[in-house]
Amino acid sequence: MGWGRMDEREEQNELSGRVISVIYANEENGYAVIRLDTQDGGVTTVVGTLPSVCAGEELHAFGEWMTHPNHGRQFKAEYAERSLPRTAEAIYAYLAGRAVKGIGPATATLIVDRFGEKTLDVLESQPEKLAEIRGISLDKARRISADFRRQAGLRRLMEFLCGHGLRPLLAVRLYKFYGENAMEVLGGDPYILAAPHIGGSFAEADRLAIDLGCGVDDPNRVRAAVIFELRHNAGNGHCFIPADKLVPATSQFIGAEPELVSAAIAELAERGVITRSLLAGRDACYLAELYEAETFVAERLRAMASEPEPESERIRRLVERVEAESGIVYAPLQRTALSLAARCRVMALTGGPGTGKTTSLRGILSMYDAMGIETLLTAPTGRAAKRMSELTGRGASTLHRLLGAAFSGEGEETVFARDEDDPLDCGAVVLDECSMVDITLMRALLAALPEDCRLILVGDADQLPSVGPGRVFSDILRSGAIPAVRLDEIFRQAEGSRIVRCAHEINRGEHADFRENSGDLFLLGRRDEARAADTIVELCAQRLPKRMGMAPEEIQVLTPTRKGELGSVSLNRRLQAALNPPAKGKNEKIFGEVAFREGDRVMQIRNNYDIIWYRNALPGQKAESGFGIYNGDIGYILGIDEENETLTVDFDGRIAALGFEQLMQLEHAWAMTVHKSQGSEYRAVVLALAQAAPRLLTRGVLYTAVTRARELLIAVGDGETAHRMIDNHVQSRRYSGLRLRLCSDT
């Protein structure tokens, strides 16, 4: 068996031996650094694309010798063939290195002592014999055997993909969904690699398809390119692409004639894969599921907004009662918000910091209590839900948890337990941070509302739009079809905050003076990004904890970008070294180029509805458990268990055990992008004014970053960057038909 590409092996140096250790392995691209016990008795370092390589394997590599400036003489493998170990000694090294799940050094000793050179045959075809060993049940023996067979199939698939220059990680995902049939599925349709549940790019799928004989103008190729263009643009926030944009873009992308692309679009529409709709005179091409979501949302919201109750003396008395009981004199717009909430089945409430959104929301909740309406509170992320709960004094949950989100049986497509057939049991739902909700999630929420349920949509219209497709909150407000209140008065208690004043100045396009170092907002000017990064680390590790008594967990570093000296990746590496360095007795797990260490602050970056969590009993509360850790959830690593290949994380009181294979769903979170911070609020924010692409240096990004700080905001970097962000108010256009559909009479 082999991997890599090698057409002129005779011109390469050769090296054979047994793998004695894997120093480094990147599971994403297959690159590895290994130590090889060669046939001449020497030990050599070998580097190259060596996917899923394990200690104990026999390796025959072709490549060239090179000298590394730090690590000396190495063998760079361009192509390699491998075989499973044959001797008892090598088999032990292979199993003790945890090549097979469920077998560690102790278990490997017992198995190899019993079966010797026949061990691997037993693992593959006679698992019941493993149960003869004390401590191995029949059930465990079968699990071990299944994993060994899985590894064999997975490696064959990896070798096939790597032979075509493709990432080994794609093999992991293919095997997860198709098992032993993965190779057959791939041969039948190479473009399955570009499907969302596999995660490959069109370029990767196209490379394989062409290698397997697919022609440039093959209809399968053209149809796959059209679907990929629509999916790619959905990932950039678009619900549809006009046909007059989609055809030339796809044609240029794959070098096919426009007529072939048009024919592919027509065929995909006939199959129901995409939907064409005439919007403002343009032929809009949707993925079918996005068209259904958009039209459903429009129809349901219009129906809910169609019959508002007229203003009445009863409602005015109700508002006055809430006002009297709370001891608050509401501003006119706040009274309007309470009145609309009493009269309408759906309304929107928006406003910037310090404008009284929370006060208005508390008033609405008190009014619903007085009306005998049971209200559920929800938000798109766990952090936003927690903040909502803290501000209102009531329980709040994430949208996904409220709706019973789960993965479908076929793969990682999200399905919801609560829908038209099993609606929520409530009289009203309040959705906070509505700007973060995309069209598919809004469709799921509306489908789960009982027929007479009320809906209050709350958010800041000036914050960044959702990551997913659509601009739901903005379209609702701009349509004028849904009753809405925009709070614009800054209340006295907020007027003294430089953070609040700065946020509104930014929103108006004014050059907020970050150099006015006073109150709760400061600028530490640093033109050199490396020096700025040093300053950020010093602030988090020393200055703020020592001078202001702020614990590191109360400080959040934000940055517009992932890349560069001031990007989240580099800053997290620096902050980890300063805040949680290696120490004796502190376990860590190397995953690719990242070291996850006990004590690390981490963030879940994908919804995972299958993770089981538990919460220990607190005074006056019962212990509880549940399923699901969601994108954006922040936690701390409590422990790392090499034997069981698990990492235990405390996600704000929810304790979850993640398998090592799920580490790709985690990243460090001392620093995060501004986009990832939406819906959260922190005691102190340290903002890196980083250089980045213009699309990341916008007024909306700066406004969102500033409004994340509750008590203190320190901007570090070049102050001119902030001014450029304020001037860059060109919002990326999103193709969305929701506003037009809300306004339409048809």
Side-chain angles (χ1 to χ4, degrees), residues 21 64 156 176 306 360 365 373 460 462 540 544 634 639 651 662 702 721 740:
S21 65
E64 59 184 7
R156 285 192 293 270
K176 175 182 178 181
S306 63
S360 301
L365 294 175
I373 297 174
D460 187 343
D462 298 310
C540 296
L544 292 180
I634 302 291
F651 290 101
Q662 296 170 313
L702 183 60
T721 300
L740 290 174

Side-chain angles (χ1 to χ4, degrees), residues 115-126:
F115 302 111
E117 294 179 0
K118 296 181 180 179
T119 293
L120 299 186
D121 292 334
V122 171
L123 290 181
E124 182 172 13
S125 57
Q126 297 174 295

Side-chain angles (χ1 to χ4, degrees), residues 185-194 204-210 212 214:
V185 170
L186 194 59
D189 181 15
Y191 292 99
I192 195 71
L193 285 175
E204 290 173 311
D206 202 39
R207 180 189 308 163
L208 178 61
I210 289 174
L212 297 179
C214 180

Side-chain angles (χ1 to χ4, degrees), residues 359-376:
T359 300
S360 301
L361 179 56
R362 290 191 189 117
I364 291 171
L365 294 175
S366 296
M367 187 174 61
Y368 282 169
D369 289 344
M371 296 169 69
I373 297 174
E374 184 180 354
T375 307
L376 298 178

Side-chain angles (χ1 to χ4, degrees), residues 318-332 334-335 338 356-364 366 391 491 493:
L318 185 60
V319 173
E320 290 171 357
R321 173 184 165 184
V322 171
E323 193 171 50
E325 290 178 352
S326 64
I328 296 174
V329 179
Y330 294 114
Q334 291 178 313
R335 290 178 65 88
L338 267 66
K357 274 203 314 292
T358 300
T359 300
S360 301
L361 179 56
R362 290 191 189 117
I364 291 171
S366 296
L391 292 173
F491 288 91
Q493 58 268 34

Side-chain angles (χ1 to χ4, degrees), residues 733-745:
R733 182 178 181 185
R734 290 191 171 193
Y735 288 114
S736 165
L738 181 59
R739 182 178 67 86
L740 290 174
R741 298 187 193 281
L742 285 169
C743 296
S744 175
D745 292 327

Side-chain angles (χ1 to χ4, degrees), residues 544-545 548-557 601 636 681-686 708 710-712:
L544 292 180
M548 302 192 68
M550 291 185 175
E553 57 267 23
E554 296 179 301
I555 307 164
Q556 183 61 58
V557 177
R601 185 198 294 181
Y636 286 86
E681 190 177 77
Y682 311 97
R683 185 181 177 189
V685 166
V686 178
R708 298 310 89 202
R710 186 171 66 249
E711 295 182 18
L712 178 66

